[in-house]
Amino acid sequence: MTTHDEVDAVVVGVGAAGAVLVRKLTDAGWRVVGLDAGPHWDPQTDFLSDERAMSKLFWRDRRVTGGEDPIELAGNVTGKGVGGSTVHYSMYALRLHRSDFQTHTRDGVGSDWPLSYDDLEPYYDEVEHELGIAGPVDWPWDAPRRHRYPYRPHQLNGVGEVMARGCDALGITWRPGAIATLSAPKGDRPPCVYRGWCLSGCTTNAKSSTLVTYAKEAVRAGAEIRPDCMVHRVDTDATGRAIGVTYVRRSADGTVHEEQQRARVVIVSAYSIETPRLLLMSASSGHPDGLANSSGLVGKGLMIHGSDVVFGRFPEPVSQFKAPPPNTITQDFYETNSAHDFVRGYSIETVGPLPGKFAQLAASTLGLWGESLREFMYDYSHYAGLGLVGETQAQDSNGVRLSRDETDTFGLPIPVVTFSYAENDRRILEAGTDTQRRILEAAGAQTTFRVSDTAHLMGACRMGDDPATSVVDRNCRTWDVPGLYVCDGSVFVTSGASNPSLTIQAIAARTADQLIAAGRRDQL
Amino acid sequence: MFMKRSRRRLGRATAFSGGWSPPMRRLRTQLAVITTASTALLWLDNLSEHYRGGFERELMYVPILANPVVAAAGAVTAVTGGRRGGRLFGLLSAAQTAIAVVGFVEHQRGILKKPGGNQPRQLLFNAWYGPPVAAPLQYLGLGLMGVMATVPQSAAAPLLARIPVDRLMRAFTALNLPPLWAEIGYLHARGSFQNRAQWLPVVTLPLAGAMSALAATSDSRTARTAAQAASGWTALLGAAGTGFHLYGLHRRYGGYRRGSFLFNWLNGPPAPAPLQMIGLGLAGLAAERAVTRR
């Protein structure tokens, strides 16, 4: 087994959070190695305008999904390769609301975060600036922003106009969405040309995935990003301190061998399924239930967003495939409202599936196949879809555990993901889809149909102030294992009703600063 | 070259040249040249924008069709030093100002018609992606310049007796700059001033406008210098702006490559737009020069 010399930090998973950490730590003079299970893509040569082929961006390793409401595990939640799911995410770059950090105090549900919005605000600003987020001039929801979005909003596309029209008719506030694709040049990245293939990988680099932003800059700054490395164990020494990771590396010729990377600090940024899986797989005699799991909460409290889509058919073509599918948003229903029969709330955003995905949704929801599906698809351009981001509450029964009998190609136990909606989650789904339908009808939809869907992962290694009820502290340091950090969406305490990527990145940017400061004090 | 020839034929006074002093005749020819060139270049800009807008309304064809006729009459006037086509050019230029006013009104209506048009907070967003607010006013400016280049001496005399032509031109420049400034300002804001040079016209055009306006009230030597500086700077901005816009096209995906060029031309920084500032600046300089020679 090859053992690499000790570096200052090894980051497992170079995605939304990992790439931010690798770059920021490298900029601070650390020697950093980023390991990613997937390839290091070159968007200009590796990405095609082919929906099916581009599903290679998803994490498609074998997994089991279960519970009363099994979630979709491929495209909507995970990515494989440097950049992670930011390579194919829908680019909404939203902040959590202030209330999201205190749902227990305010609404009596969930738990309060150990961080407040004010702790994250400077990092939201920083990350938005680094990515070049294009957003509206004013953000009418939650408390006012300190700074404007660095780039101006994109124009409305067909679906955006439908949503704006419907919202205007119903008196609902809408804005062009805040999204991570450029509306004007930034450095060597060009503005978006509205190809509409964002969810299959952007070929122009206008999309601010961490692949073409943080990860690229990290490599330029001297970091090493090692692709095709599947980490399966966090190594600890006799004192219980994390000293590195062991992984299997797939070479260009297809051969696989095991390597070890030593590091002063190990940061796991593999998202809400693979992060708990790795901690659980790293169980040893000293940590029989998995690393950092004295609370028993590793893998528990997984949250998602109820993201049912309602499609409406319009007499005139809407061309839902044109321009970035994330386009227009309302957060009028985000906060707890005593008039509702639920607490917390939801956001409504436009979607724009490409024909393959749309056909798949229609086929599975409406039971169409063959001739009937083909008839239906002739009208593809006439449909506009609105998606929901419905908050869910963390439940310990939802989560990730290791399969007892099934293993993957590396012989590692596969993850079993269980999810069931709580009653409040379901009420949000019902109310949200009803609002989506009303907006479409107010805009002139002739018929509508609803598609069940889920998106995003949050939680499963939550942060907190008490080692008994959380896995990591407010700085993402695991309570149990010195030198081991968890920094990604799995540290979320509540899900909010905002797409999580920007918050993941803000937490990563903050964690990097905390690490740099701790390093100076020699308290890593 | 044609200047010399026109001087040789002074004897053959026409409605166009009749009664004008030689420097004024030269100025009028220069104005005709500048107006014609600016109109032709505006056509390119106008065509690109209306094509991008898919000629959604038939009215959008009007300036596209009218412009070449005006430009052709202007070209004849310019080339013949005003001996031919002057009157027609003048009439067409007057008509063009009417088209400009209709266009201006229609552009505002187009913006207000967009979703959220009843909410003041959405106005800027709708203007960013709607028909450009002040663009039709460029036709108004060029129309007036066409009239200035062709108006008979008898009609212009009462006005020119009270206000000399250089001061008149300074006022004209001062009036042209605010809409130009507003348009550049809000469109550069859409690009979020990603290149610091985008601030240049936004910061300096008001100064140029103010200098021209002040200079319009005085005959002093200082006023002349200020007006020359303002016009010279406006022309310089136009040249630099064109350069930056051409560079901006290069920065877009695909840049000047054949498959991408048309798309980038239509959606990128409008390359012919800053050229209008060169025309305005040169017209101002020409007016100052005409009076120096008197």
Side-chain angles (χ1 to χ4, degrees):
Chain A
M1 185 162 68
T2 317
T3 301
H4 294 275
D5 290 345
E6 188 186 66
V7 292
D8 293 317
V10 61
V11 179
V12 181
V14 189
V20 175
L21 285 159
V22 173
R23 201 208 79 189
K24 285 198 74 172
L25 295 177
T26 306
D27 281 350
W30 289 36
R31 281 167 301 132
V32 186
V33 170
L35 300 173
D36 200 278
H40 198 148
W41 308 110
D42 174 355
Q44 276 69 57
T45 55
D46 296 337
F47 294 175
L48 308 163
S49 298
D50 180 333
E51 275 187 84
R52 249 186 119 69
M54 290 315 293
S55 64
K56 68 181 180 186
L57 299 177
F58 309 151
W59 187 290
R60 290 181 301 179
D61 296 13
R62 194 164 159 67
R63 287 164 166 175
V64 174
T65 181
E68 279 172 47
D69 306 284
I71 60 176
E72 200 250 289
L73 282 179
N76 286 5
V77 292
T78 56
K80 194 168 195 178
V82 175
S85 51
T86 68
V87 175
H88 65 77
Y89 74 156
S90 79
M91 308 186 288
Y92 279 108
L94 307 174
R95 301 177 174 200
L96 288 180
H97 284 202
R98 284 159 178 79
S99 62
D100 286 321
F101 296 89
Q102 305 172 315
T103 60
H104 185 70
T105 307
R106 293 191 187 210
D107 303 302
V109 291
S111 316
D112 290 352
W113 288 57
L115 295 173
S116 69
Y117 179 87
D118 294 332
D119 292 324
L120 279 188
E121 190 175 31
Y123 296 99
Y124 276 130
D125 288 338
E126 175 186 317
V127 171
E128 283 174 354
H129 186 80
E130 292 283 334
L131 298 176
I133 303 300
V137 176
D138 70 314
W139 191 256
W141 303 287
D142 201 23
R145 297 166 53 87
R146 274 195 317 184
H147 301 291
R148 255 202 305 275
Y149 282 106
Y151 280 74
R152 304 289 79 83
H154 290 273
Q155 65 193 84
L156 297 188
N157 65 0
V159 186
E161 289 204 7
V162 161
M163 175 161 169
R165 229 167 44 221
C167 285
D168 279 350
L170 297 176
I172 296 171
T173 316
W174 60 271
R175 284 291 180 275
I179 60 175
T181 184
L182 297 176
S183 62
K186 181 174 180 10
D188 55 4
R189 294 198 294 129
C192 179
V193 290
Y194 302 146
R195 252 176 92 241
W197 283 82
C198 324
L199 274 57
S200 297
C202 173
T203 56
T204 69
N205 290 3
K207 179 180 186 171
S208 306
S209 68
T210 54
L211 171 63
V212 300
T213 56
Y214 281 99
K216 192 173 177 184
E217 293 149 12
V219 171
R220 223 180 265 156
E224 187 190 347
I225 293 179
R226 227 173 271 158
D228 299 309
C229 295
M230 178 70 189
V231 179
H232 59 83
R233 192 173 66 235
V234 175
D235 301 311
T236 49
D237 65 9
T239 65
R241 189 180 170 86
I243 53 164
V245 295
T246 305
Y247 58 92
V248 277
R249 183 175 195 173
R250 197 189 294 274
S251 306
D253 59 8
T255 57
V256 169
H257 49 274
E258 203 165 53
E259 295 183 5
Q260 215 167 30
Q261 176 65 55
R262 303 246 172 228
R264 286 165 67 210
V265 176
V266 174
I267 309 169
V268 182
S269 301
Y271 210 10
S272 292
I273 296 175
E274 294 302 319
T275 289
R277 181 186 179 206
L278 175 58
L279 296 181
L280 295 175
M281 286 194 301
S282 302
S284 60
S285 51
H287 303 275
D289 301 322
L291 269 190
N293 198 17
S294 66
S295 61
L297 287 172
V298 168
K300 290 197 176 145
L302 182 73
M303 294 165 284
I304 59 150
H305 284 134
S307 59
D308 286 18
V309 181
V310 178
F311 287 98
R313 190 196 182 283
F314 289 80
E316 71 283 356
V318 178
S319 303
Q320 53 173 320
F321 51 90
K322 276 305 279 181
N327 195 267
T328 307
I329 182 171
T330 180
Q331 292 196 328
D332 272 8
F333 311 95
Y334 196 103
E335 305 284 345
T336 299
N337 181 335
S338 54
H340 297 159
D341 63 347
F342 52 84
V343 291
R344 308 305 303 153
Y346 56 90
S347 301
I348 294 176
E349 305 166 342
T350 60
V351 298
L354 291 172
K357 174 83 176 169
F358 186 68
Q360 180 200 328
L361 294 174
S364 54
T365 308
L366 303 175
L368 305 172
W369 198 248
E371 185 61 34
S372 62
L373 181 59
R374 194 170 60 195
E375 267 313 304
F376 177 84
M377 284 301 291
Y378 285 139
D379 281 354
Y380 168 67
S381 295
H382 288 262
Y383 280 92
L386 299 183
L388 189 73
V389 179
E391 182 161 345
T392 66
Q393 298 301 325
Q395 309 173 64
D396 284 349
S397 51
N398 289 340
V400 181
R401 59 177 176 79
L402 299 181
S403 170
R404 288 190 195 88
D405 39 24
E406 278 193 83
T407 54
D408 66 8
T409 49
F410 299 114
L412 307 170
I414 65 166
V416 177
V417 182
T418 339
F419 187 82
S420 311
Y421 282 119
E423 185 52 31
N424 193 66
D425 307 343
R426 272 187 222 285
R427 288 186 184 163
I428 288 177
L429 264 184
E430 291 310 314
T433 47
D434 184 57
T435 310
Q436 287 159 279
R437 186 183 47 74
R438 285 192 301 125
I439 292 172
L440 289 168
E441 284 173 356
Q446 299 159 313
T447 56
T448 59
F449 69 95
R450 171 179 165 180
V451 175
S452 288
D453 207 357
T454 60
H456 313 144
L457 300 171
M458 282 100 11
C461 288
R462 70 165 160 262
M463 59 162 60
D465 283 329
D466 179 357
T469 56
S470 57
V471 178
V472 297
D473 69 6
R474 65 203 312 268
N475 298 332
C476 292
R477 186 203 302 246
T478 56
W479 290 113
D480 303 346
V481 183
L484 176 61
Y485 289 73
V486 169
C487 182
D488 56 24
S490 58
V491 304
F492 275 46
V493 180
T494 59
S495 76
S498 290
N499 308 50
S501 64
L502 193 75
T503 304
I504 294 173
Q505 290 169 306
I507 291 173
R510 182 178 181 280
T511 303
D513 277 3
Q514 297 295 329
L515 277 164
I516 293 162
R520 286 206 194 99
R521 295 191 308 263
D522 214 18
Q523 291 175 348
L524 286 170
Chain B
M1 163 78 176
F2 61 76
M3 297 289 175
K4 220 182 257 171
R5 213 178 334 138
S6 72
R7 209 171 295 147
R8 222 186 305 131
R9 300 192 182 181
L10 279 181
R12 281 176 55 194
T14 64
F16 178 80
S17 56
W20 293 107
S21 64
M24 279 303 284
R25 268 208 297 276
R26 185 186 303 126
L27 172 61
R28 283 155 61 82
T29 310
Q30 286 168 344
L31 281 184
V33 171
I34 292 167
T35 310
T36 304
S38 293
T39 307
L41 290 166
L42 189 56
W43 182 80
L44 190 60
D45 199 12
N46 192 179
L47 177 68
S48 310
E49 294 284 345
H50 282 196
Y51 173 73
R52 180 169 180 272
F55 288 101
E56 221 168 278
R57 301 185 53 199
E58 279 176 13
L59 219 48
M60 292 166 77
Y61 287 105
V62 174
I64 305 299
L65 297 176
N67 175 315
V69 182
V70 184
V76 173
T77 311
V79 168
T80 62
R83 277 168 292 105
R84 295 241 194 291
R87 179 179 303 215
L88 180 64
F89 181 40
L91 287 173
L92 288 173
S93 288
Q96 188 168 253
T97 60
I99 295 177
V101 171
V102 173
F104 182 67
V105 172
E106 289 299 324
H107 276 214
Q108 316 315 313
R109 285 180 56 190
I111 292 167
L112 291 172
K113 229 172 44 195
K114 290 174 81 73
N118 55 347
Q119 301 155 32
R121 293 194 144 242
Q122 299 284 60
L123 269 184
L124 180 61
F125 175 65
N126 286 343
W128 274 335
Y129 294 113
V133 176
L137 293 183
Q138 297 191 331
Y139 272 122
L140 185 66
L142 291 179
L144 290 176
M145 239 155 84
V147 171
M148 283 192 276
T150 55
V151 64
Q153 205 264 347
S154 53
L159 180 62
L160 287 178
R162 272 191 293 154
I163 313 172
V165 70
D166 53 346
R167 279 174 53 194
L168 205 60
M169 202 57 169
R170 291 170 195 168
F172 178 77
T173 306
L175 286 175
N176 261 282
L177 287 179
L180 199 62
W181 171 77
E183 184 102 329
I184 294 171
Y186 93 87
L187 288 176
H188 280 192
R190 184 179 80 186
S192 63
F193 296 99
Q194 47 87 20
N195 187 329
R196 292 233 175 100
Q198 287 178 297
W199 283 109
L200 216 55
V202 177
V203 172
T204 60
L205 276 183
L207 294 175
M211 272 160 71
S212 298
L214 282 175
T217 63
S218 159
D219 276 321
S220 71
R221 187 176 278 276
T222 324
R224 171 186 303 282
T225 313
Q228 279 170 335
S231 288
W233 178 248
T234 305
L236 212 61
L237 275 182
T242 308
F244 274 114
H245 282 203
L246 290 172
Y247 168 65
L249 287 180
H250 154 80
R251 287 183 77 191
R252 291 179 61 86
Y253 188 72
Y256 286 88
R257 281 212 310 266
R258 198 156 58 153
S260 318
F261 179 71
L262 179 62
F263 181 85
N264 285 336
W265 174 269
L266 294 177
N267 294 284
L275 292 170
Q276 295 301 316
M277 287 197 287
I278 301 185
L280 188 62
L282 288 182
L285 288 175
E288 300 297 333
R289 198 151 161 268
V291 177
T292 323
R293 295 272 176 91
R294 191 158 54 187

